[in-house]
Amino acid sequence: MKKFALIFPGQGAQKPGMGKDLYENSTAAKNVFDTADRVLGYKISELCFNGSEEDLMKTINSQPCILTVSLAALEALKEKTNVNIACTAGHSLGEYAALYAAGAIDLETVLKLIQKRANLMNEAAEKTNGSMAAVLGLDNETVINITEGLENVSVANYNSPGQVVITGDKEEITNNLDKFKEAGAKRVLPLAVSGAFHSPLMKGAAEEFVDFVNQFEFKDTQVPVYTNVDANAETKGEEFKNKLPKQIYSSVLWTQTINNIEKEGIIDFIEIGPGKVLAGLNKKINAELTTLNIFDYESLMNIAEELKEKELV
């Protein structure tokens, strides 16, 4: 039986109407939304189904919305078919879905964690003048060398070869974009975000998050979770608890994560959640990888049927 790596998207994957067809057609998905509405104390389902693009872009909304849709899609998949999971991983906030999928935390816990994370990151963004930008067509080492020469700029995401996101002080990033172009970058694109996420400017949020995370139990897992801060496979509950606050201000080692998963002989992935961002990154990281996508009810049913037909489950 083929084993799959389950991967979950991060901020930026959101879109209006996401998850509605899953809610309407899957009892398991509906339960996730209903639980999220109850635990979070507001109608996150309404925000996912009818919220505007502007509303969904806000950090305090996008993080819990993307997580809820991802978990609804995961539970709907489990309702329709059995998938043999080799490991899990998630991009930034997607790591929380990965921890849930691996059994480290339960549904109520993961919802409470992501809401607190979103609130703290939003507060930190409002207190600092931060921004982010995508550097395209430049190797990692060159990007690192340039950022090390700047006072308040660092690497946020290693998304794929030739796609690195920088983060830090907004003015300093804006004033130094030409340095990346002069070094050979094809494009440098400022991102429409409210703060310098995955940068030292988020350390205050991370410090507050430590006390909150420590209130919850994290279980050891049978299935490894590849964590953002080091791209390594982890199964120990206490280590998950230690790494999550650090993730808020550390680089997301996504390229390294996918390469490390492939080194274990795992080349089949299922991206679960809104959008197809991670599938696109996988192609750039390693063209030999196969990535299926579950982002709505139709794609769920197509993949469930394909897995059964090919006897992969």
Side-chain angles (χ1 to χ4, degrees), residues 104-248:
I105 44 181
D106 61 27
L107 182 56
E108 291 198 13
T109 298
V110 73
L111 289 166
K112 290 175 182 177
L113 287 170
I114 206 65
Q115 186 67 72
K116 184 66 172 180
R117 178 186 191 263
N119 288 340
L120 289 173
M121 291 175 68
N122 185 65
E123 289 170 7
E126 290 177 345
K127 294 175 184 176
T128 56
N129 186 34
S131 69
M132 304 172 76
V135 180
L136 306 179
L138 208 56
D139 63 274
N140 292 353
E141 186 175 353
T142 302
V143 176
I144 292 169
N145 286 340
I146 295 173
T147 58
E148 286 180 346
L150 304 175
E151 190 173 347
N152 293 304
V153 181
S154 56
V155 175
N157 307 335
Y158 296 93
N159 283 337
S160 68
Q163 186 185 130
V164 177
V165 176
I166 59 172
T167 181
D169 179 78
K170 184 174 184 178
E171 186 174 347
E172 194 162 0
I173 287 178
T174 301
N175 291 340
N176 289 284
L177 292 180
D178 285 345
K179 289 186 177 180
F180 297 94
K181 296 176 184 176
E182 291 165 3
K186 293 179 181 177
R187 286 189 293 170
V188 184
L189 305 174
L191 301 181
V193 295
S194 59
F197 304 126
H198 298 290
S199 82
L201 294 177
M202 290 286 124
K203 279 195 172 181
E207 290 168 0
E208 284 192 57
F209 196 49
V210 170
D211 290 336
F212 189 78
V213 170
N214 283 336
Q215 299 176 39
F216 299 95
E217 177 188 1
F218 285 70
K219 297 177 181 177
D220 294 350
T221 62
Q222 297 297 315
V223 174
V225 180
Y226 283 77
T227 52
N228 286 185
V229 296
D230 54 17
N232 292 333
E234 185 58 69
T235 60
K236 297 298 182 183
E238 283 302 310
E239 284 303 308
F240 295 135
K241 187 181 290 190
N242 291 334
K243 289 180 181 183
L244 284 183
K246 295 176 183 176
Q247 187 226 52
I248 291 175

Side-chain angles (χ1 to χ4, degrees), residues 83-101:
V83 175
N84 197 9
I85 304 173
C87 64
T88 70
H91 191 287
S92 191
L93 77 91
E95 187 166 293
Y96 289 74
L99 289 170
Y100 171 83

Side-chain angles (χ1 to χ4, degrees), residues 7 9 73 77 269-280 282-283 290-304 306:
I7 55 176
L77 174 64
F269 292 74
I270 303 178
E271 179 180 1
I272 302 176
K276 301 180 181 180
V277 172
L278 300 184
N282 273 7
K283 285 183 180 179
T290 299
T291 308
L292 304 174
N293 294 91
I294 297 174
F295 51 88
D296 59 13
Y297 189 72
E298 182 180 0
S299 59
L300 164 69
M301 294 306 295
N302 288 341
I303 287 175
E306 180 181 344

